[in-house]
Amino acid sequence: MNFTIQKVIEILEKKGFDIEEPENNGVLHCIAPGYKEIKMKTDGVTHYFKVLTKYTTQLEKALEWAGVENLEDVA
């Protein structure tokens, strides 16, 4: 499922993540207590997510890897 970057950020914030861009390199660090950190980068069309050492272009998969429950409202 493709979302705009704004929609992805809204979904992550709704799940309790804080979004930070610490190094100004376009990588967003999405951090929430009790979950693994999700790093996200976009090329304007495709969003790339990294959780630990795994990469995906699917937000649902990244949230699953981060340990987020209740993904019905994302799919």
Side-chain angles (χ1 to χ4, degrees):
M1 178 149 299
N2 288 334
F3 297 110
T4 64
I5 189 69
Q6 186 58 43
K7 182 65 176 169
V8 169
I9 289 171
E10 287 173 17
I11 290 169
L12 288 168
E13 287 177 337
K14 192 168 131 187
K15 293 293 183 186
F17 284 84
D18 289 324
I19 315 300
E20 302 172 1
E21 188 180 354
E23 292 122 24
N24 245 356
N25 59 2
V27 175
L28 300 178
H29 291 221
C30 311
I31 303 165
Y35 296 131
K36 296 174 185 77
E37 178 182 11
I38 298 173
K39 293 182 181 177
M40 179 176 66
K41 188 170 181 111
T42 185
D43 62 12
V45 177
T46 305
H47 310 313
Y48 302 92
F49 303 96
K50 179 182 178 192
V51 180
L52 298 177
T53 59
K54 298 189 271 190
Y55 293 87
T56 184
T57 57
Q58 299 176 359
L59 175 59
E60 299 89 355
K61 186 59 69 181
L63 288 168
E64 182 183 310
W65 289 343
V68 176
E69 308 278 328
N70 299 331
L71 298 179
E72 311 79 50
D73 55 340
V74 178

